[in-house]
Amino acid sequence: MSRRFLTGAVSAGLVLVLAACGGTTKDDSSGSGAQQSTATANPNAAAKEGVKMAFLPKQLNNPYSDIEVSGGKAALGELKGEYKLVGPNDASASSQVSYINTLIQQQQDVIGIAANDPNAVCPSLNQARSAGIKVVAFDSDAAKDCRDVFINQATTQGIGEALAKQAKDLSGGSGEIAVLSATPNATNQNAWIEVLKKELAKPEYASLKLDKVAYGNDDDQKSFQEAQGLLQSFPNLKVIVAPTTVGIAAAARYVSSSSYKGKVAVTGLGTPNQMRAFVKDGTVKQFALWNPADIGYLAAYAGVALKSGQISGKDGEKFKAGKLGDYTIGANGEIVLGPPTTFDANNIDKFNF
Amino acid sequence: MSDQGNRLGRLLSWDAAVVLVTVTVLIVASGAVENFGTSRNFTFLLLDLLPIALVALPMTFIIVTGEIDLSVASTLGLTSAVMGSLWDAGLSIETIIPLCIVLGAVLGALNGFFVTVLKLPSLAVTIGTLALYRGLAFVVLGDGAVADFPRAYTSWVTGTLGDGPIPNVLVPLAVVALVFGVVLHATPIGRGVFAAGAGEQAARFAGIRTGRLKFWLYVVSGAVAGVAGVLWTLRYSSARADNGYGLELAVVAAVLLGGVSIFGGKGTLPGVLAGVVLLASLQNALRLQDVSNEALNIVTGVLLIVSVLLPNIVSSARTALRRRHRATAPSAVSPER
């Protein structure tokens, strides 16, 4: 009995394997059902009032995304639209889908989304678009064929160049520098560091030497210890570049309380509120970041422009974004916010985020 | 107790009450909540609850035997991660899917081995494998995602029958649910499951091999979590190590709400499925009303606590009543209730 069962099972398995031989693999071309918008834009159309726009950040109650959407709320106030904020409590890939579905049911006009996963949200975003909802991705893009435009806070190239320039300025043009990054597999950070390295290979940066890329895993304590380790291993270090808000704050805290204060510069990407004290006490001369509130602000203006028919998401279309001025849509529906803002003792008190 | 009393007891039983409450919620929400009763929302609702319902089937068996399996969501995640990396390696999807289900079964067998052969407490074992399998998932796929699955498969999983409200996936799952229901409530295996939960010793004396039974339940639970991992990956067309994160609690919550006793020996599959539908439709309806996540969590929490408290209150009230009866009529035969 059991032997017969075994024979049956084995032959069933064989059949499965044989059936699988002629199967669908990665190399089979799969046509992606890209939805290209066929709408034509009329740049002179009037901006609609009462546009219902819902923001769906990666997760709720995250300080950074709270600032982002506050900009969206302000913009919708200016545009006389209706602002709404929804989102999951965890930043997992699939949790956003049911929120998108709810927004479809509620017949929103625009969805502004920071995608946790570019593909997981794709089918439902396209369902939303077939229901007439405009989709603006911000901060973290969804796949290109499931959104109308993407608000990019800064280009990878722009950030990498800014980091290189900071290192050069603060080292006086020559000497040893080190990078304190987030996790070894952080997509953004790695891309920026790649650009930084390419910049450093150029002749105008020839006298700068990158000693090491250390990883603090975006954990305050680990970043603090890594900063300490860098300064112990490389006594001639002039600049620590930390392209992460956790890393820059931890490095600044260590340097400000050590004998290196005033000798070693800390720079990178940070928020004015966390860095204010270190700028005031002279540990940090300058650092950079885009203004997160402007991302949400621009997303809201882009959303209303889409809904009003002023733009459709094509390369070269132009629209006005309130206090931020005029914007032009680039390739693949990308709208770049602009170069990162540099913060120093002169301007830091103008910012509160 | 007479036949009539029995029938009344069944009608007032917890799982019947859950079914009733669920139907009520669905009707009220359709009337009161804008956009709830539409066919598109029905599809969204079903697609959201299907993975929970699927994993809840074997979970019901396991909890009825007095054990638990908290590693199901991590098994789902690891299956998804392996599915992604095999697809990247160029294997065909028709090979990958059975492999993933087998992988799920193997992961379940490991749980079963620890619980039944090494006689370790299942709560400790499956909390351990919850962490282990999720960790392995990140080892396999890291932080990345694999997304380019064949459209024929992904659109079938997200699609509906003839563009109606019924998701394609519901059909095979309904058959699976029916099989699980029949096995639990109408076969010797099911009787063995209840017996093992009611009292391990007694069940063994009655000739039920509880160890072997539980081992296979874990294997089935793992395999089903593997199937859920495949479906999840195709539905979101994204294989990720964090897929299904936290799903185990949603499943256990639905099972307990559906009237299964955490101590084993009691519960019905229709009650569990009603529990799944109740939690999902409440969530869906409240979200349509723009109720915040925090309030949603509070509602779910209160509902669960009530579901644990209420049967206890009812049964102690019954005992008190019976005692009073005995006090007033000490010589009477057991009174009809």
Side-chain angles (χ1 to χ4, degrees):
Chain A
M1 180 69 194
S2 68
R3 185 176 299 175
R4 193 180 303 167
F5 170 76
L6 207 67
T7 329
V10 169
S11 44
L14 275 176
V15 168
L16 266 178
V17 171
L18 285 175
C21 283
T24 326
T25 63
K26 194 182 152 80
D27 305 329
D28 302 351
S29 65
S30 58
S32 71
Q35 278 197 338
Q36 277 309 323
S37 75
T38 47
T40 45
N42 169 17
N44 303 320
K48 272 195 177 144
E49 287 188 1
V51 173
K52 289 189 291 184
M53 179 162 181
F55 280 85
L56 176 52
K58 288 184 167 190
Q59 64 184 119
L60 290 185
N61 307 322
N62 164 309
Y64 181 81
S65 68
D66 286 351
I67 300 160
E68 280 182 319
V69 297
S70 72
K73 189 176 182 178
L76 285 166
E78 294 170 13
L79 290 158
K80 300 190 173 56
E82 283 179 46
Y83 161 89
K84 179 191 281 200
L85 171 65
V86 295
N89 286 336
D90 63 295
S92 76
S94 37
S95 50
Q96 288 180 312
V97 170
S98 57
Y99 287 91
I100 298 168
N101 293 345
T102 302
L103 295 172
I104 296 175
Q105 284 301 98
Q106 293 174 329
Q107 291 141 29
Q108 292 289 317
D109 294 319
V110 187
I111 295 176
I113 182 171
N116 281 326
D117 179 295
N119 299 295
V121 290
C122 212
S124 25
L125 284 182
N126 274 335
Q127 244 177 326
R129 291 168 77 203
S130 9
I133 300 173
K134 301 295 179 189
V135 176
V136 180
F138 65 95
D139 189 348
S140 168
D141 202 359
K144 286 179 189 57
D145 47 14
C146 353
R147 45 83 175 153
D148 296 296
V149 292
F150 169 51
I151 309 294
N152 199 345
Q153 56 265 48
T155 58
T156 303
Q157 190 64 27
I159 297 273
E161 284 172 8
L163 294 173
K165 192 175 170 311
Q166 285 175 338
K168 190 177 170 182
D169 291 351
L170 293 167
S171 63
S174 68
E176 294 177 23
I177 64 167
V179 171
L180 175 59
S181 184
T183 54
N185 53 10
T187 323
N188 282 348
Q189 269 79 9
N190 286 350
W192 297 330
I193 293 168
E194 239 6 81
V195 176
L196 169 68
K197 284 179 177 167
K198 280 203 187 91
E199 285 294 302
L200 292 178
K202 290 180 178 170
E204 61 259 44
Y205 289 102
S207 33
L208 280 186
K209 175 169 173 283
L210 177 61
D211 281 331
K212 185 180 175 181
V213 178
Y215 299 98
N217 295 349
D218 261 357
D219 172 90
D220 179 73
Q221 201 184 346
K222 176 115 171 55
S223 305
F224 189 91
Q225 289 162 350
E226 288 293 328
Q228 201 175 350
L230 283 173
L231 291 164
Q232 281 163 350
S233 330
F234 306 104
N236 298 327
L237 201 60
K238 277 188 173 176
V239 186
I240 294 178
V241 181
T244 151
T245 54
V246 179
I248 191 174
R253 212 174 64 243
Y254 173 68
V255 171
S256 72
S257 61
S258 73
S259 57
Y260 299 104
K261 186 176 167 180
K263 300 191 187 81
V264 176
V266 175
T267 187
L269 306 176
T271 68
N273 284 356
Q274 62 172 166
M275 302 306 288
R276 202 177 310 275
F278 302 117
V279 170
K280 302 266 189 217
D281 79 359
T283 308
V284 175
K285 292 208 170 42
Q286 55 160 255
F287 62 97
L289 195 66
W290 48 91
N291 181 348
D294 289 347
I295 299 173
Y297 186 92
L298 182 54
Y301 267 90
V304 173
L306 279 165
K307 195 67 201 177
S308 312
Q310 297 167 348
I311 55 172
S312 66
K314 286 196 191 68
D315 198 345
E317 293 173 342
K318 290 180 168 50
F319 69 104
K320 285 187 167 35
K323 63 170 190 195
L324 295 178
D326 295 350
Y327 278 87
T328 307
I329 300 179
N332 298 322
E334 266 195 33
I335 303 168
V336 179
L337 179 64
T341 312
T342 299
F343 303 100
D344 55 28
N346 299 324
N347 71 356
I348 194 160
D349 283 330
K350 291 181 195 147
F351 297 93
N352 180 19
F353 68 86
Chain B
M1 283 243 256
S2 72
D3 242 17
Q4 211 176 353
N6 251 333
R7 211 168 303 143
L8 199 68
R10 286 275 327 130
L11 269 182
L12 290 174
S13 70
W14 180 256
D15 41 302
V18 176
V19 174
L20 216 78
V21 169
T22 308
V23 172
T24 314
V25 164
L26 286 173
I27 292 170
V28 170
S30 301
V33 178
E34 206 187 344
N35 301 320
F36 180 84
T38 65
S39 78
R40 188 168 53 188
N41 196 51
F42 185 70
T43 311
F44 290 152
L45 180 65
L46 284 171
L47 278 174
D48 276 352
L49 65 79
L50 281 174
I52 298 174
L54 180 62
V55 176
L57 300 171
M59 183 71 84
T60 305
F61 280 61
I62 288 179
I63 295 183
V64 168
T65 63
E67 305 290 351
I68 197 159
D69 184 356
L70 291 177
S71 70
V72 283
S74 298
T75 304
L76 187 160
L78 180 49
T79 314
S80 180
V82 167
M83 187 170 168
S85 58
L86 290 179
W87 177 249
D88 248 359
L91 266 71
S92 77
I93 193 92
E94 293 80 359
T95 317
I96 295 172
I97 291 175
L99 276 179
C100 282
I101 298 168
V102 169
L103 170 71
V106 170
L107 297 174
L110 190 65
N111 282 332
F113 172 78
F114 282 128
V115 173
T116 61
V117 180
L118 300 187
K119 301 269 186 285
L120 300 170
S122 58
L123 184 69
V125 168
T126 57
I127 285 179
T129 49
L130 176 153
L132 172 70
Y133 296 166
R134 186 65 71 182
L136 286 174
F138 278 100
V139 169
V140 169
L141 208 59
D143 272 354
V146 175
D148 49 351
F149 292 100
R151 276 190 68 78
Y153 282 81
T154 53
S155 56
W156 185 83
V157 171
T158 51
T160 54
L161 286 174
D163 291 334
I166 308 284
N168 293 328
V169 197
L170 185 63
V171 180
L173 290 193
V175 174
V176 172
L178 198 69
V179 169
F180 271 85
V182 168
V183 169
L184 184 63
H185 295 298
T187 65
I189 297 177
R191 282 195 286 282
V193 169
F194 281 105
E200 183 99 14
Q201 295 287 7
R204 275 213 210 99
F205 284 132
I208 297 163
R209 291 167 156 163
T210 53
R212 179 183 286 203
L213 177 71
K214 284 178 182 177
F215 176 82
W216 286 107
L217 288 183
Y218 277 104
V219 173
V220 171
S221 176
V224 168
V227 174
V230 169
L231 289 176
W232 189 287
T233 308
L234 292 174
R235 181 193 167 186
Y236 296 111
S237 43
S238 177
R240 289 178 66 106
D242 67 354
N243 273 349
Y245 190 84
L247 190 86
E248 70 282 322
L249 291 181
V251 171
V252 172
V255 170
L256 297 184
L257 184 65
V260 175
S261 163
I262 193 75
F263 305 112
K266 225 174 47 205
T268 68
L269 215 54
V272 168
L273 291 175
V276 174
V277 175
L278 178 58
L279 283 178
S281 47
L282 265 179
Q283 201 170 45
N284 179 300
L286 292 174
R287 268 195 201 158
L288 280 171
Q289 293 285 8
D290 286 336
V291 172
S292 72
N293 288 355
E294 290 73 18
L296 255 172
N297 290 341
I298 291 168
V299 169
T300 316
V302 168
L303 204 67
L304 274 172
I305 289 171
V306 167
S307 76
V308 176
L309 277 180
L310 233 115
N312 284 345
I313 293 171
V314 170
S315 73
S316 56
R318 273 189 188 160
T319 337
L321 269 176
R322 226 174 285 160
R323 270 207 208 106
R324 199 169 301 163
H325 262 292
R326 282 204 194 109
T328 50
S331 60
V333 240
S334 71
E336 293 282 345
R337 280 190 299 118

